[in-house]
Amino acid sequence: MRMRKLPWAEAYIAQAPVVHHEPQREQGKWKQLLNCTSLHVELGCGKGDYLITMSKRSEDGWIGVEKDINVAAIAARKYMRDEQASTQVRLIHGDAQQICDWFAEGEIDVLHLNFSDPWPKKKAHTKRLSHAAFIAAYRRVVHERGEIQMKTDNAQLFEFSILQFQEGGWYLHDISVDFRRTPHEEDAITEYEQRFLSLHQPIYRAVWRKYPYVNSDKKKR
Ligand code: SAH
């Protein structure tokens, strides 16, 4: 998401309590900080709608990562203005490439990739958040029983991601090429998703796990 420059963005980010400025210092300690047993991270969280909504529904911790300062500032402001917002939320203004500096091995329970930039040109594929290099980093920071949930409107990015995760050794746990064909109230609609739904475009969704496991195993987490 590229946005026009907001004159207030930098100063806002600098003082908003929800923004964590030294995420590397929290490595291995996020669950303590957010007082939670399950940690979700959304890479490329945009204006924050998804994580602000989802974090209200449980006691889980949520961290949004956004590299565009203007977009991150809007997310921070949206969170700060929401009187019902969960206290178990932080935002990181930074590049997902640094994920291994911020999170310890196995620290993340659920990683979310919502409507990531498709980078259509072949030369730019390394920038895709589902490129092999990113997937290798996720393997490190996602818990043994953790998972990655991805949604996109982009068929090319979806195909690419399926193959990259397959090569990276992940187990495809769930897949849909029209996720909103049936109601899924458990999963909030993101800002981009709303736009594509208004255009009647199908939403692709996949869930990968590090290892396959049956539902009853969930209790043991
Ligand atoms: N998840 C939101 C926004 C999708 S647009 C939604 O569904 O509505 C994709 C967002 O990812 C943009 O805001 C872009 O700035 C951000 N982004 C892209 N590459 C990133 C990276 N390497 N690290 C962090 N954020 C990134």
Side-chain angles (χ1 to χ4, degrees):
M1 188 189 295
R2 215 162 270 141
M3 266 201 49
R4 74 193 156 84
K5 200 169 160 12
L6 300 174
W8 52 271
E10 210 164 309
Y12 193 87
I13 287 277
Q15 57 76 46
V18 70
V19 180
H20 203 300
H21 299 284
E22 291 180 297
Q24 64 283 358
R25 291 182 60 166
E26 234 55 65
Q27 197 184 36
K29 295 186 282 195
W30 288 104
K31 287 184 189 174
Q32 227 171 302
L33 179 80
L34 298 177
N35 188 26
C36 66
T37 50
S38 192
L39 184 68
H40 296 249
V41 174
E42 185 186 3
L43 298 179
C45 68
K47 295 177 187 166
D49 302 75
Y50 184 76
L51 87 155
I52 293 171
T53 305
M54 292 295 286
S55 57
K56 288 178 189 169
R57 298 182 178 178
S58 74
E59 301 292 302
D60 295 351
W62 282 80
I63 297 173
V65 177
E66 176 52 55
K67 73 170 181 192
D68 184 313
I69 192 164
N70 302 298
V71 182
I74 291 179
R77 191 176 62 173
K78 197 172 279 180
Y79 173 86
M80 296 308 299
R81 285 181 175 176
D82 185 339
E83 283 169 14
Q84 268 92 50
S86 159
T87 52
Q88 294 164 298
V89 172
R90 291 295 182 278
L91 295 175
I92 298 174
H93 165 231
D95 194 309
Q97 274 184 347
Q98 281 179 271
I99 193 166
C100 289
D101 301 334
W102 304 330
F103 298 98
E105 219 177 307
E107 192 169 14
I108 300 173
D109 295 283
V110 187
L111 189 76
H112 301 264
L113 302 173
N114 288 322
F115 301 86
S116 306
D117 296 333
W119 297 107
K121 288 189 187 148
K122 186 138 197 181
K123 261 201 240 158
H125 284 186
T126 54
K127 294 185 187 168
R128 287 176 163 174
L129 293 184
S130 48
H131 184 269
F134 279 105
I135 288 177
Y138 304 156
R139 192 147 196 98
R140 198 179 151 75
V141 292
V142 172
H143 191 271
E144 272 200 18
R145 288 176 178 274
E147 65 184 38
I148 298 182
Q149 301 181 1
M150 175 189 200
K151 291 190 281 183
T152 182
D153 62 299
N154 189 294
Q156 286 78 28
L157 178 68
F158 196 60
E159 287 176 0
F160 174 89
S161 307
I162 296 284
L163 294 172
Q164 294 278 299
F165 277 101
Q166 167 88 12
E167 268 177 45
W170 289 76
Y171 174 80
L172 181 63
H173 175 73
D174 199 9
I175 184 165
S176 172
V177 291
D178 193 359
F179 182 57
R180 299 291 176 189
R181 185 178 47 201
T182 51
H184 283 285
E185 272 145 31
E186 76 288 357
D187 186 70
I189 294 172
T190 81
E191 189 202 357
Y192 269 49
E193 189 169 8
Q194 187 53 57
R195 240 187 258 176
F196 297 118
L197 288 173
S198 324
L199 298 169
H200 305 287
Q201 282 179 234
I203 304 300
Y204 303 96
R205 182 175 184 269
V207 178
W208 293 274
R209 286 187 174 162
K210 239 177 173 174
Y211 301 105
Y213 67 89
V214 288
N215 267 342
S216 58
D217 284 359
K218 260 192 170 165
K219 289 190 221 111
K220 294 179 202 152
R221 290 183 79 177

